[in-house]
Amino acid sequence: MGIFECAIIGGGPAGLNAALLLGRANRSVALFDTKNDHLSFELQESISRNGNAAIEFMQAAKEKLNQYPTIHSIVSQHVRAIKQSDNKLFKIYTEDGQSFLTEKLLLTDGTEIQTDIPNINQYYNKSIFTSPYGYGWELKDKKLIYINETGAVAQTAKIIFSLSNNLVVATNGYEIKENEKRELENKGINVVADKIKEMKGHDGVLNSVVFQNGLEIEREAGFITPSSYATNIIGEGFSCDLDEQGLIVVDHFGRTSEKNVYAAGDAAQPAPTEIVLSEATGIQVAITINSDISIEKF
């Protein structure tokens, strides 16, 4: 199969757009992606795809990419490991035992929220979201909770309050600035600093939130800003600098601290991340990669 000029890890909006631009620029591209079965939600924040199912968008995008012979491989396999060899090529190993060589590597495989709230994954992207823009309209006037573990609560809380004034703010045991707490409480927003013991509901639909002190508050949905994220980096022989939130550090063009390694999308920007913004970072970093390859091979 030879050596790819760029391998893209992650087939979300950033990865798909990067693959399209690089493929159309006559670069040999390998796109590694899982089936994205978790994308059961609809895309709401983009006028071009308002109401479209995320999984349908991803599938349609991949079908379009298949039209380009330069995009040689769309692999529905988890990447098990990435190793950099002595000749500076990256060797990618998939779970089914295959391996691929590439000159450049683009990481767009996203992040996972890091929180000690039990069973929150049952509700994530179903009734608990990171962005008030993607699902704010659908949740307006509902009984909402905003969980913020960073200490900087007020700005996003004000945005959510404009959707529903039936709002509870929870810090899950993290400190909140006293002036922010007073500002929120003056608007009738209940601020709970106790740790969350349990989230109750059924089939991803939230019914209530239980705190360690025994308090149980009925809630229908909400949003979360976690304390940190886990970036899906599986490299061996190379490493990228991470920021204090656990995201990959990139420059304005998507280059990481590691030569020939780039990052875009959720892997390199904090939530809340909108689909169109992820797409834009994918396009931007693809232009950077193509420019770097062009200069090196001229």
Side-chain angles (χ1 to χ4, degrees):
M1 190 171 292
I3 301 172
F4 292 102
E5 289 178 285
C6 183
I8 301 171
I9 313 299
L16 291 170
N17 276 271
L20 176 64
L21 191 147
L22 287 169
R24 287 177 57 83
N26 202 31
R27 299 302 177 190
S28 58
V29 179
L31 177 65
F32 295 85
D33 183 33
T34 61
K35 295 180 180 179
N36 288 317
D37 292 334
H38 63 289
L39 297 174
S40 59
F41 57 94
E42 293 181 344
L43 306 175
Q44 303 290 3
E45 72 273 28
S46 169
I47 191 65
S48 62
R49 284 183 288 277
N50 184 262
N52 292 349
I55 189 66
E56 292 176 2
F57 158 66
M58 300 297 185
Q59 290 170 345
K62 291 172 190 176
E63 290 174 5
K64 292 181 180 180
L65 294 182
N66 280 329
Q67 300 173 13
Y68 294 91
T70 47
I71 304 174
H72 290 276
S73 181
I74 298 177
V75 184
S76 294
Q77 282 286 332
H78 285 286
V79 172
R80 179 170 54 84
I82 304 172
K83 296 182 180 180
Q84 189 172 30
S85 58
D86 292 336
N87 60 4
K88 301 302 180 182
L89 293 175
F90 298 95
K91 194 168 188 178
I92 300 167
Y93 299 87
T94 60
E95 286 188 342
D96 64 352
Q98 297 186 72
S99 61
F100 304 83
L101 287 173
T102 185
E103 298 171 0
K104 296 189 183 296
L105 190 64
L106 172 56
L107 304 174
T108 69
D109 199 21
T111 58
E112 297 178 1
I113 62 171
Q114 294 295 286
T115 178
D116 60 3
I117 300 172
N119 71 332
I120 192 172
N121 287 336
Q122 297 176 25
Y123 305 95
Y124 191 54
N125 278 337
K126 295 177 181 177
S127 54
I128 296 290
F129 306 93
T130 54
S131 171
Y133 295 102
Y135 269 84
W137 178 262
E138 284 71 24
L139 301 183
K140 70 184 182 70
D141 299 325
K142 291 185 179 294
K143 299 173 182 177
L144 300 181
I145 186 168
Y146 173 45
I147 304 165
N148 184 304
E149 300 177 339
T150 70
V153 177
Q155 182 175 350
T156 302
K158 292 174 183 177
I159 294 171
I160 298 171
F161 187 73
S162 69
L163 301 169
S164 173
N165 56 20
N166 193 336
L167 176 64
V168 171
V169 167
T171 68
N172 192 34
Y174 289 80
E175 291 185 5
I176 180 174
K177 297 175 183 177
E178 190 60 36
N179 62 317
E180 291 196 357
K181 181 180 179 182
R182 279 197 309 270
E183 186 179 20
L184 296 176
E185 290 179 337
N186 286 339
K187 283 289 187 177
I189 299 172
N190 186 15
V191 179
V192 183
D194 201 43
K195 290 188 70 65
I196 295 174
K197 179 181 179 181
E198 182 183 7
M199 306 187 85
K200 291 184 177 181
H202 182 68
D203 289 337
V205 179
L206 185 66
N207 291 331
S208 66
V209 178
V210 182
F211 295 87
Q212 292 283 7
N213 61 7
L215 176 67
E216 181 171 354
I217 301 177
E218 182 182 354
R219 297 288 93 183
E220 297 175 279
F223 302 92
I224 182 170
T225 301
S227 58
S228 62
Y229 304 86
T231 303
N232 298 322
I233 296 180
I234 40 184
E236 297 180 24
F238 70 97
S239 60
C240 301
D241 290 344
L242 304 179
D243 66 15
E244 59 184 13
Q245 289 184 292
L247 300 170
I248 302 173
V249 176
V250 295
D251 64 14
H252 293 301
F253 305 99
R255 299 183 183 97
T256 73
S257 59
E258 189 73 35
K259 184 175 176 56
N260 295 324
V261 181
Y262 307 77
D266 290 354
Q269 57 184 334
T273 303
E274 313 306 330
I275 298 294
V276 290
L277 296 181
S278 289
E279 290 180 336
T281 64
I283 294 170
Q284 181 182 44
V285 75
I287 292 172
T288 301
I289 294 169
N290 186 54
S291 177
D292 289 349
I293 295 174
S294 299
I295 292 171
E296 293 166 6
K297 294 189 174 182
F298 186 73

